[in-house]
Amino acid sequence: MLIKDNEIADINTPTGDMRAHIFRPAAPGKYPGILMYSEIFQVTAPIRRTAAMLAGHGFIVACPEIYHELEPAGTVLAYDEDGTTRGNAHKITKALSSYDSDARAMLDYLKSRADCTGRLGVMGICIGGHLAFRAAMNPDVLATTCFYATDIHKKGLGLGTNDNSLDRAGDIKGELLHIWGRQDPHVPLEGRNLLKARLEEVGTRFTWHEFNGQHAFMRDEGSRYDPALALQSWGLLLELFHRRLGWGDLDVESDNAPAESRH
């Protein structure tokens, strides 16, 4: 379906305004909301294309700038050594509580939108996978997809690098989907096994997929992109989100063609 991808919202949080980029179906009506977290580079072109793809399947997608306290609004870090160094430094400069308050503010924003059904999901990639895992601890999150979520196994998120994500896994009440690359050096086998054992221990409702892929295999830019694995992963996440969040008003009139609703 056709989408709109030029909307920006500045969301008030306890640590200042946070810019979010909104992608939504062009057709009027109500749709489920998805909070989508980026990699450490913020809202890059590949992240925007991912959000657009999701919106085109009938979701209102909000991508926040996760380092809003540390970078001017609109900042996008480059996929190079300098951008990686800067993004990784920010990751452990920002307080853990600020990540959590950002998540709550974003979820409240989505629920407040007149075009949202109020049914909420979360998705995240890399650090965003970890942030999605934490956002899933909010009771109104019904479904969450985490792509190769970094640092959960070693408690490495936030100021002090001693997060409590593993400890709080039992707070996740919605359904969880984890997708990993076996050749990902950032989350080795022992780290994946530690997290999986914890989810089993606390009785989380989850699905777990490990592919023969590298870190960032979903990013449609660079040498690690694996289109075949990305396509399989899209099928998994869309199945989860449509099943748990519903379809919204897909069969309504479009902005410009009353007789045509979706395309």
Side-chain angles (χ1 to χ4, degrees), residues 1 25 27-32 58 117 247-253 261-262:
M1 62 193 308
K30 290 180 178 287
Y31 302 93
T117 63
W247 291 80
D249 295 337
L250 287 181
D251 296 318
V252 296
E253 294 179 354
S261 62
R262 295 176 61 177

Side-chain angles (χ1 to χ4, degrees), residues 39-42 44 71 75-87 219 221:
E39 313 150 301
I40 59 171
F41 307 97
Q42 299 209 114
T44 61
E71 296 281 0
T75 297
V76 177
L77 303 180
Y79 288 123
D80 59 18
E81 185 176 350
D82 288 343
T84 300
T85 299
R86 193 162 157 184
R219 184 198 300 159
E221 184 175 304

Side-chain angles (χ1 to χ4, degrees), residues 138-159:
N138 289 278
D140 48 353
V141 174
L142 302 177
T144 300
T145 299
C146 302
F147 281 98
Y148 30 87
T150 55
D151 299 324
I152 298 178
H153 66 287
K154 62 181 183 180
K155 301 186 176 183
L157 179 67
L159 186 64

Side-chain angles (χ1 to χ4, degrees), residues 95-126:
L96 188 66
S97 60
S98 297
Y99 288 119
D100 291 342
S101 59
D102 285 353
R104 188 62 260 170
M106 286 300 307
L107 294 169
D108 289 341
Y109 164 75
L110 281 167
K111 288 180 76 170
S112 74
R113 289 180 61 105
D115 56 358
C116 182
T117 63
R119 298 182 70 82
L120 302 177
V122 188
M123 172 180 165
I125 300 169
C126 191

Side-chain angles (χ1 to χ4, degrees), residues 133 137 155 162-171 198 202:
F133 186 85
M137 298 170 189
K155 301 186 176 183
N162 188 31
D163 69 71
N164 60 354
S165 299
L166 274 177
D167 298 334
R168 291 190 57 198
D171 292 346
R198 178 61 177 159
V202 298

